[in-house]
Amino acid sequence: MFGHSGQAHGRRGLLALLLLALLEGGTAPAGANEQPLRVAVAANFLPVAERLSTRFTRQTGTPLRLVSGSTGKLYAQIVHGAPFDLFLAADEARPRRLVEEGRARGAPFLYATGTLVLWSPRPGLVDQTGGVLAEGGFSRLAMANPRLAPYGRAARETLQALGLWSRLRSRIVRGENIAQAFHFVVSGNAELGFVAASQLLSRGEEGSRWVVPERLYSPILQAGVVLTAHPAAGRFVHFIRCGEGREIVREGGYRVAADPAC
Amino acid sequence: MLSGADLAALQVTLRLALITTLILLLLGTPLAWWLARSRAWFRPVVEAVVALPLVLPPTVLGFYLLILLGPEGALGGLVTALGGRPLAFTFSGLVIGSVLYSLPFVVQPLQTAFSTLDRRLLEASATLRAPPFDRFVSVVVPLSRSGFITAAVLGFAHTVGEFGVVLMIGGNIPGETQVLSIAIYDHVEALEYTSAHWLAGGLLLLSFLLLLTVYLVNRRWSVAHP
């Protein structure tokens, strides 16, 4: 009987140790330098951010942890205390608001300017002038949710500028972010959609496309902001704005302006 | 208070839940009857399939539905070939998704009700030469009343509470596929807490009242028929 309870004790002790080990592994930093840099990334920028992350980690040894979503959703998460060190948004407004609310460190910085593309995997569906929108030879047009995603906002502005917003409204399917909108089109569930140039580039997509002229929508100025005192945050920002990262961003399908901070 | 889009979402949600529940009662009743009475070796297989939506993440269902309903999918391709619109991002697509998603919530209470029926009553009505359908309507249905009510309310409530599947196959179209749960999600993400509160609070109350109905009905029934 005693032996029995001793065994039970031993087993319970082992279980407790195991639990402790699991908890420890999850929370305790192995060393300040190895604490990964947690970056909230607007969905359109994720493929490029992954490339940036690989290169940066190879150079500095600091691992990155990327979390992607719509800019609006990530903003809401940060407001509610999500543990991100850096926010790479798809607009300027939300990083600026975080600074105004005292949730950020330092000023927002511009890291890329995005390009909106009307795209279909079907060759010949989208013409060089976007006339397909007025002709209406499709049943579903995908875009990101304009309330949450800057690329969705740009898509809505484009349709409004063309005077087609109210006519096409019932055919629009809204992805929760630009990645979902892209997936709707890639999977063939929507014939065409407003996507980011960077998404097409990163997957080497063919099909037919219309690069939406910039006069039809207000520019997609993608800004970022540092949120914590993580030692690697500043270095990573410098890497994107001035270092090798800049070229990766450009190759990824974005415009990068000359940065006075470099 | 509630904007036009919110009211539209409410209407879509109620319509979806109502249609789904009716379809499920029609399809689920014979299925549950068979499950309750059959001794076929593959009955456990069917039972497991019916129970799958209970354990699968909605994303699994949503993913396969998107493939199935899409223009290249089996069902979507068939509908397109027959001259219809692809089913993804349509109200009909949501109905198909909801029927699958809420299936166990209707079938299981019915199966339980059917398997606890007193067989002697059925045999008695058979000896009175009542035809099978008549026996079912005038003997089985009244005796399984609480099972039917539970099944209908749970099927309805579970469809109202659907989120993941709709997020994946709905496309968030106001007035067509934007349901309450999605509208709440949008409000929260956009930090529009007042609107979110109205919808979320309303849904909380509605769900509570629905469940309360189930428990009250079941209690009254068991008190009246111990």
Side-chain angles (χ1 to χ4, degrees):
Chain A
M1 196 195 166
F2 275 112
H4 235 79
S5 84
Q7 222 173 23
H9 262 291
R11 222 175 291 153
R12 216 173 298 161
L14 205 67
L15 198 71
L17 265 179
L18 205 74
L19 270 175
L20 209 69
L22 282 174
L23 288 175
E24 280 289 309
T27 55
N33 271 335
E34 290 186 340
Q35 178 87 298
L37 184 71
R38 287 164 299 196
V39 187
V41 184
N44 77 88
F45 198 67
L46 184 66
V48 177
E50 277 166 353
R51 250 168 284 153
L52 289 168
S53 157
T54 314
R55 190 73 63 87
F56 183 73
T57 307
R58 206 182 299 149
Q59 280 182 7
T60 62
T62 307
L64 264 72
R65 198 167 289 160
L66 304 176
V67 177
S68 85
S70 70
T71 295
K73 171 184 175 154
L74 293 171
Y75 168 78
Q77 289 178 346
I78 291 166
V79 168
H80 287 97
F84 299 129
D85 301 306
L86 176 66
F87 180 28
L88 296 176
D91 66 3
E92 272 189 313
R94 280 157 177 116
R96 201 187 322 119
R97 221 183 301 166
L98 287 173
V99 172
E100 285 162 10
E101 290 163 354
R103 295 179 209 277
R105 293 174 161 257
F109 57 90
L110 193 70
Y111 67 90
T113 305
T115 303
L116 187 69
V117 178
L118 180 69
W119 174 69
S120 169
R122 210 185 297 165
L125 181 68
V126 179
D127 52 298
Q128 292 303 306
T129 55
V132 60
L133 290 172
E135 287 154 22
F138 56 90
S139 62
R140 291 288 181 225
L141 167 68
M143 66 163 74
N145 189 336
R147 283 160 77 200
L148 302 173
Y151 281 85
R153 195 246 320 132
R156 183 177 61 192
E157 284 175 2
T158 301
L159 289 179
Q160 282 167 340
L162 295 171
L164 295 170
W165 175 250
S166 46
R167 182 159 22 130
L168 292 181
R169 222 170 163 179
S170 59
R171 297 198 212 169
I172 292 171
V173 289
R174 292 178 296 169
E176 199 239 325
N177 56 52
I178 192 80
Q180 199 189 17
F182 187 51
H183 142 77
F184 284 162
V185 188
V186 171
S187 65
N189 282 295
E191 293 103 314
L192 71 174
F194 283 103
V195 301
S198 53
Q199 292 175 302
L200 296 175
L201 215 59
S202 76
R203 282 181 43 111
E205 292 287 354
E206 298 288 322
S208 53
R209 72 189 67 190
W210 173 49
V211 179
V212 181
E214 280 154 40
R215 64 188 155 77
L216 292 179
Y217 62 95
S218 43
I220 305 170
L221 300 172
Q222 305 198 190
V225 69
V226 176
L227 302 168
T228 67
H230 192 294
R235 263 182 289 143
F236 184 60
V237 170
H238 184 81
F239 173 75
I240 301 176
R241 297 175 72 180
C242 309
E244 256 181 83
R246 211 173 124 82
E247 213 31 57
I248 299 178
V249 175
R250 195 202 309 275
E251 282 164 12
Y254 298 90
R255 280 179 293 132
V256 283
D259 198 326
C262 297
Chain B
M1 226 178 94
L2 290 184
S3 70
D6 289 342
L7 286 173
L10 178 69
Q11 199 224 343
V12 170
T13 307
L14 294 179
R15 203 154 57 95
L16 178 67
L18 201 67
I19 294 175
T20 302
T21 310
L22 288 177
I23 294 177
L24 275 174
L25 284 176
L26 282 177
L27 297 179
T29 305
L31 180 60
W33 183 253
W34 181 80
L35 285 173
R37 320 270 303 194
S38 168
R39 294 213 179 84
W41 62 269
F42 55 89
R43 196 192 70 176
V45 179
V46 179
E47 279 184 302
V49 170
V50 168
L52 270 178
L54 289 174
V55 295
L56 281 180
T59 41
V60 172
L61 206 54
F63 172 58
Y64 285 127
L65 276 171
L66 201 59
I67 290 178
L68 188 75
L69 302 181
E72 272 117 63
L75 207 55
L78 184 73
V79 173
T80 323
L82 293 174
R85 264 195 328 180
L87 287 166
F89 315 127
T90 62
F91 185 77
S92 322
L94 283 194
V95 171
I96 295 175
S98 308
V99 164
L100 290 173
Y101 182 63
S102 298
L103 184 69
F105 289 82
V106 172
V107 171
Q108 289 185 349
L110 288 178
Q111 188 186 342
T112 311
F114 293 156
S115 55
T116 51
L117 275 184
D118 192 341
R119 273 155 196 269
R120 282 170 301 178
L121 287 168
L122 280 178
E123 282 155 14
S125 59
T127 54
L128 293 171
R129 300 203 177 170
F133 186 73
D134 188 26
R135 264 180 283 165
F136 189 82
V137 171
S138 50
V139 180
V140 176
V141 171
L143 285 177
S144 317
R145 207 180 62 173
S146 79
F148 274 101
I149 292 174
T150 307
V153 174
L154 284 185
F156 187 89
H158 192 245
T159 307
V160 169
E162 194 176 341
F163 175 72
V165 175
V166 185
L167 188 70
M168 288 183 77
I169 66 166
N172 207 346
I173 306 167
E176 187 170 349
T177 62
Q178 189 184 58
V179 297
L180 275 182
S181 58
I182 301 279
I184 293 172
Y185 183 69
D186 271 5
H187 283 315
V188 173
E189 303 282 78
L191 300 175
E192 295 160 356
Y193 284 179
T194 319
S195 316
H197 270 308
W198 273 108
L199 293 184
L203 210 52
L204 189 69
L205 194 69
L206 175 75
S207 307
F208 172 73
L209 290 177
L210 283 174
L211 288 176
L212 189 67
T213 316
V214 172
Y215 289 115
L216 283 178
V217 164
N218 279 343
R219 199 183 62 155
R220 225 181 49 205
W221 193 246
S222 62
V223 168
H225 303 257

